[in-house]
Amino acid sequence: MVGARAYLGTRGQPITSRVLVRIEWLFLALTLGMNTWQYLPLVAETFELSRLVLHLLGPIVAVAVVTALPIILAAFSDLDHGDPSRGDTGPSYRTNAVIRYPSQHSPGARDSEEIRALVSRARRLIAAGELPPAPGADKVRRALGCGMDNARTVRDHLTHPDPK
């Protein structure tokens, strides 16, 4: 019952039946009674408060779980999980742009408008001291927010500029 309420609550279909809630509380009260009756002052041969408290903890935790689990799982399902089309890499990463290669075998084929713009931005960041003079591809990727392939290309342009 608890699992069904929690699952359906996360799917936007919470069960709000008073009958179901009463059944849950009935079973929780029965659990409390079964766990503690033999440790109550009038039943136990020698009453020890610590034993009674110890046997009260299980049902108290069960009540807390039954009450809180549907609420917590519903809250998790309401979280903003971002744009699912972006994958699991988070908001700081974006995919590489589609770059047309003039020749399959030409290593300088990635020289596109976007790469030139990224190289220019990287040079400005180097001049401002925000990037080291010869940054690695990962530092370029993080600084520019581009994909790793483009970051490698930018790094290569920075370390081996075209003689144009």
Side-chain angles (χ1 to χ4, degrees):
M1 288 184 293
V2 173
R5 285 187 61 212
Y7 178 80
L8 291 170
T10 63
R11 301 293 187 254
Q13 299 291 323
I15 299 174
T16 57
S17 168
R18 286 182 167 192
V19 173
L20 185 60
V21 171
R22 286 182 185 152
I23 291 170
E24 285 178 349
W25 281 100
L26 171 68
F27 281 112
L28 290 170
L30 289 172
T31 302
L32 181 67
M34 288 187 293
N35 269 17
T36 60
W37 73 270
Q38 58 193 359
Y39 303 102
L40 293 173
L42 300 175
V43 179
E45 287 182 23
T46 56
F47 173 70
E48 294 178 42
L49 182 62
S50 60
R51 294 188 94 187
L52 178 62
V53 170
L54 178 68
H55 286 84
L56 278 169
L57 287 179
I60 289 171
V61 169
V63 168
V65 167
V66 165
T67 305
L69 188 65
I71 297 166
I72 292 169
L73 291 178
F76 275 124
S77 71
D78 290 341
L79 288 175
D80 179 14
H81 298 289
D83 182 2
S85 67
R86 293 179 70 153
D88 295 333
T89 56
S92 66
Y93 178 81
R94 68 178 183 85
T95 58
N96 290 309
V98 176
I99 298 175
R100 292 182 175 39
Y101 294 97
S103 162
Q104 291 287 355
H105 307 288
S106 171
R110 293 183 80 82
D111 193 21
S112 69
E113 291 288 327
E114 182 179 10
I115 295 297
R116 284 192 289 277
L118 289 172
V119 170
S120 176
R121 281 182 51 210
R123 286 190 176 127
R124 285 194 303 271
L125 291 172
I126 290 169
E130 295 180 38
L131 270 175
D138 189 55
K139 286 187 180 183
V140 170
R141 180 191 62 79
R142 282 186 274 140
L144 300 178
C146 63
M148 192 53 126
D149 291 339
N150 285 350
R152 286 186 195 105
T153 304
V154 169
R155 175 206 56 203
D156 293 345
H157 278 276
L158 293 171
T159 56
H160 307 293
D162 291 335
K164 293 181 186 178

